[in-house]
Amino acid sequence: MVAQDACQRAFGLDFGQELLVVGALVLATAVVLFLAGRWRPGSPQRVVAAAAATAVNAVLPAMFCRWVDSTTIVLLSFNFMWISSFKAISWAFNRGALVTQPFNFAQFFVVYAAPVTPVANGTGAAGAAGKAAAAEPSTSSAGEPSGPPPADSSKDSGSTAGTADGGAAAGVRKGRLAEDAGDTATMLRVWATKGLFLACMVQLLQYPIPGFLESFCLAMALMALLSMIMDGPAAAVVGLIGLRVSPHFDRPWTAKSVAAFWNKHWDLAAGNTLRQLVYDVVCDGSLLPPSKPQGHPSHTRQALGSLASFGASGLVHECIFWYLTGRTTRGVWSSYFLVQVPAIILERIVLAQLKRRKIMVPALLRIAYTVGFETLTAQYLFFGATKRAGVSDSIVRNVGDTVITISKQLSALAGPWAGALHMRAS
């Protein structure tokens, strides 16, 4: 309570008022970006607007109390400080989700403010940017925590982008951005399922669990927590303004390789932003996308793009840790992401050699290796830092308190209905 009281005295606001301020700031930022869209990509006006949006987003998580509002800080830093800011910067240079379609303001606001990625339509500047954001299954970016792995140029169809006024594009790569996550009913069902799954994970984590299994449960709880803030807004997007969105998380426990884990299964909404703003920029050699179809980027550019993307993801996560604790992990979290690059390269070399010898590795063995590698590295290089700092316990407790509060409210609402039904039955 001391921390909460101190936080309220510092800002003069309670928790609900702080959330209202966040909503107002995000809305105002979206208005500025939308109006600045009349300027050409790369112009000072667009760059200044994107920089202002990034600055505002960086302030939002700092408005809340450390250790008391841990879950809120995680969600705000993940969604706004990272995803929305990367979308804004990409937009300034005609890349990313905000230029994939000719949005009206409602659609523009939702794509900017929510951790969603619109389905690539493959037409005009929208389709061109959608291509730049997407990748083949073996070359796409990863999610949260993420960065695209070294691309296989034999499957890379090149990178092109439309002009600022919506010129057509050729060689469009869509990857998973061409997939539809489903209609409103589907998204709501997924959202509810992950909510129940998160509640179960939080309850399980209240008990002593062996280290490896605990890390796996923490990863599944993180997946449910982060994907819930996508699936809920996505349902509203699909139902209210008819904007179709691509998948976010997709059963990461079924990934058959480390590359596939990041490319196809883990937090694609965040990974798309890394692909658009970091990987593609390195491969293209320019902040602005090329106006003509390009050849395949060299293996060196692909490797550098992957290293830069995983490195950027590590830095963003260090910032999130600072919001939560007031300090960084001193590079521990960054090392978790950077180690993925040599792991993916080695994995591809081994699989290529096995393929040449016509040796097929069973799918279950590949899944076991992938899940084991990610869980083991996360245990020592990701969750180890959160447990030592008390972050894991704080978030689990925070989510647990929220689950209890919601359960009590639902019980209170159900009470009168249950009483009325009982009286009618009598």
Side-chain angles (χ1 to χ4, degrees):
M1 290 300 297
V2 174
Q4 180 68 46
D5 291 343
C7 180
Q8 288 178 359
R9 286 196 296 272
F11 292 101
L13 302 171
D14 59 29
F15 180 78
Q17 291 171 331
E18 287 173 344
L19 288 179
L20 290 175
V21 170
V22 167
L25 289 174
V26 172
L27 177 60
T29 302
V31 170
V32 171
L33 292 176
F34 187 76
L35 294 176
R38 71 186 68 179
W39 303 102
R40 63 177 177 80
S43 65
Q45 293 87 350
R46 277 207 182 197
V47 173
V48 168
T54 301
V56 170
N57 291 334
V59 171
L60 300 182
M63 293 176 58
F64 295 83
C65 300
R66 290 185 175 122
W67 310 113
V68 177
D69 303 323
S70 298
T71 304
T72 302
I73 293 173
V74 167
L75 298 181
L76 290 179
S77 55
F78 165 75
N79 186 50
F80 295 112
M81 185 274 295
W82 180 356
I83 295 183
S84 293
S85 293
F86 276 40
K87 286 178 179 177
I89 298 171
S90 298
W91 161 88
F93 299 100
N94 200 39
R95 295 182 182 271
L98 291 174
V99 297
T100 55
Q101 299 176 30
F103 300 118
N104 59 39
F105 177 72
Q107 294 170 332
F108 184 91
F109 172 73
V110 169
V111 173
Y112 168 73
V116 298
T117 308
V119 173
N121 61 14
T123 59
K131 172 277 316 157
E136 292 295 332
S138 64
T139 65
S140 64
S141 68
E144 167 18 68
S146 86
D152 178 356
S153 60
S154 66
K155 296 181 181 180
D156 190 345
S157 59
S159 178
T160 61
T163 60
D165 60 355
V172 173
R173 286 192 319 237
K174 291 184 179 180
R176 298 216 69 178
L177 291 183
E179 299 179 31
D180 195 324
D183 58 14
T184 302
T186 300
M187 298 305 301
L188 286 175
R189 184 171 64 252
V190 171
W191 180 76
T193 300
K194 288 180 178 176
L196 292 173
F197 180 74
L198 177 61
C200 292
M201 286 294 100
V202 168
Q203 289 301 311
L204 182 61
L205 288 167
Q206 304 292 329
Y207 302 93
I209 304 175
F212 186 85
L213 182 58
E214 181 185 26
S215 295
F216 179 80
C217 291
L218 284 170
M220 293 299 97
L222 179 62
M223 176 204 70
L225 177 63
L226 294 179
S227 60
M228 275 186 67
I229 66 171
M230 179 271 187
D231 298 331
V237 168
V238 171
L240 296 179
I241 58 178
L243 185 67
R244 311 299 289 195
V245 298
S246 61
H248 189 200
F249 284 87
D250 185 9
R251 300 170 299 164
W253 56 88
T254 66
K256 296 178 183 177
S257 67
V258 176
F261 178 85
W262 297 112
N263 296 342
K264 301 172 66 177
H265 297 277
W266 187 266
D267 199 351
L268 301 176
N272 290 333
T273 65
L274 288 169
R275 174 73 187 204
Q276 296 151 5
L277 184 58
V278 183
Y279 183 85
D280 283 342
V281 168
V282 172
C283 287
D284 292 339
S286 171
L287 282 171
L288 288 168
S291 57
K292 298 180 180 180
Q294 303 293 301
H296 303 309
S298 67
H299 290 292
T300 300
R301 279 191 181 272
Q302 293 175 44
L304 289 175
S306 299
L307 185 63
S309 298
F310 277 110
S313 181
L315 291 176
V316 169
H317 282 82
E318 294 285 358
C319 290
I320 294 174
F321 195 87
W322 179 85
Y323 281 119
L324 287 165
T325 66
R327 63 180 187 274
T328 69
T329 68
R330 297 183 178 180
V332 176
W333 271 12
S334 293
S335 65
Y336 168 68
F337 301 104
L338 291 175
V339 79
Q340 305 297 321
V341 178
I344 290 170
I345 294 174
L346 179 61
E347 174 185 78
R348 286 181 172 168
I349 293 174
V350 171
L351 289 176
Q353 292 297 324
L354 292 174
K355 185 177 181 179
R356 288 192 185 96
R357 291 168 172 76
K358 298 182 179 180
I359 300 174
M360 302 301 295
V361 182
L364 287 178
L365 183 59
R366 295 180 64 175
I367 291 173
Y369 161 74
T370 302
V371 174
F373 174 82
E374 291 301 336
T375 304
L376 190 63
T377 53
Q379 180 178 352
Y380 293 103
L381 298 178
F382 192 84
F383 293 118
T386 66
K387 285 186 272 190
R388 287 191 296 272
V391 171
S392 297
D393 291 339
S394 177
I395 294 177
V396 169
R397 183 172 57 252
N398 210 218
V399 175
D401 292 343
T402 302
V403 170
I404 292 173
T405 299
I406 293 174
S407 299
K408 289 181 177 178
Q409 291 176 344
L410 291 175
S411 298
L413 290 173
W417 287 97
L421 289 174
H422 178 71
M423 291 179 62
R424 180 173 294 181
S426 301

